[in-house]
Amino acid sequence: HQWVDRFGTGLPNFSTNGAGLQLYILSLLENYSENKTIPNFLLVFSLYYLPALGMYLALSELKIKPSLTFTISIFYVVNPFTMSWMSMLNQWNNFAAAAMPFLFWIIIKNYKNNLRLFFFYGLLSSVFSQAYTNIPLNVVVNLSAIISILFASYHYYRNFQLKHLVEKILLINLSFMLFNAWWLMPLSYFVGDAQRIYSESFAEEWL
């Protein structure tokens, strides 16, 4: 199991809560800094800054004028829905808001170069591994990547070619699985344990 310290007892975890570059950076800062406000500030700042930055980079790649790009990027974060959702300050859920525009940027930027798309998509998805913790959000992030592929295809070629789209979607999914195998493999191994702990009736009550 992965373990997350909580009230000194730990928490058994079958997903990626205990993983992710962000968590390691925050842990290092907390362990080597006497001022605990530094990691706290970095966490809150990154939760709000990274989604806006990702959106800005993606829109800039589309050659949208800077003023409109800046406005849309700010609105992406500062709107009633996002502000309400982000108020929980749950990094394992909220980083999905950053992962989606960053992955969109990677797809748009490297769409015509399969090798670069494979490498940078996989690398970035691994960096944002904590964004895949929540299974419904995992689906949302991966679906957004497929939509990004469709958008990129139309952006560059003004049409949709099924064979071409299938190749690109398979490419990013293979990249995702290979670069994230370090947590996908343990996760699949513990699925049996999770099914015993979380019964079908428990899941229905939780929903």
Side-chain angles (χ1 to χ4, degrees):
H1 296 161
Q2 300 172 19
W3 290 88
V4 178
D5 183 41
R6 181 168 293 181
F7 309 119
T9 57
L11 175 71
N13 175 31
F14 299 104
S15 59
T16 57
N17 282 20
L21 179 63
Q22 176 78 5
L23 187 66
Y24 293 125
I25 293 174
L26 294 174
S27 297
L28 285 172
L29 288 174
E30 185 177 4
N31 288 329
Y32 293 100
S33 173
E34 296 181 359
N35 188 351
K36 302 303 180 184
T37 61
I38 294 177
N40 288 333
F41 172 80
L42 180 61
L43 172 60
V44 176
F45 177 78
S46 61
L47 284 175
Y48 287 93
Y49 175 72
L50 290 179
L53 176 62
M55 184 60 70
Y56 185 88
L57 291 172
L59 295 177
S60 297
E61 195 66 31
L62 295 173
K63 310 303 181 185
I64 298 175
K65 61 181 182 179
S67 59
L68 184 58
T69 294
F70 179 80
T71 302
I72 295 174
S73 301
I74 294 299
F75 182 75
Y76 177 65
V77 178
V78 185
N79 67 78
F81 172 78
T82 305
M83 292 296 289
S84 175
W85 181 57
M86 297 283 278
S87 64
M88 69 180 74
L89 299 180
N90 184 336
Q91 61 176 313
W92 297 288
N93 286 348
N94 294 157
F95 270 115
M100 289 187 287
F102 268 104
L103 292 173
F104 179 42
W105 171 56
I106 289 295
I107 290 171
I108 289 291
K109 187 177 180 65
N110 302 288
Y111 189 76
K112 294 184 177 181
N113 188 319
N114 285 340
L115 182 60
R116 288 174 59 89
L117 178 60
F118 178 87
F119 177 77
F120 287 111
Y121 184 92
L123 180 63
L124 194 64
S125 66
S126 183
V127 168
F128 281 108
S129 59
Q130 67 270 32
Y132 299 92
T133 293
N134 183 290
I135 300 303
L137 284 176
N138 185 323
V139 174
V140 169
V141 174
N142 281 299
L143 281 178
S144 74
I146 294 175
I147 294 172
S148 298
I149 291 289
L150 297 173
F151 182 91
S153 177
Y154 186 80
H155 173 70
Y156 286 114
Y157 304 115
R158 299 301 175 187
N159 60 45
F160 299 108
Q161 297 180 6
L162 182 59
K163 181 181 178 181
H164 180 75
L165 291 174
V166 170
E167 289 176 351
K168 293 292 184 180
I169 292 171
L170 288 176
L171 178 70
I172 63 170
N173 277 280
L174 177 60
S175 173
F176 173 79
M177 289 187 289
L178 288 179
F179 277 81
N180 293 277
W182 58 276
W183 64 265
L184 285 172
M185 292 179 67
L187 179 63
S188 62
Y189 179 79
F190 290 118
V191 164
D193 290 342
Q195 289 177 334
R196 286 192 294 272
I197 294 174
Y198 303 110
S199 63
E200 182 179 349
S201 59
F202 173 85
E204 290 175 350
E205 292 175 1
W206 182 77
L207 290 173

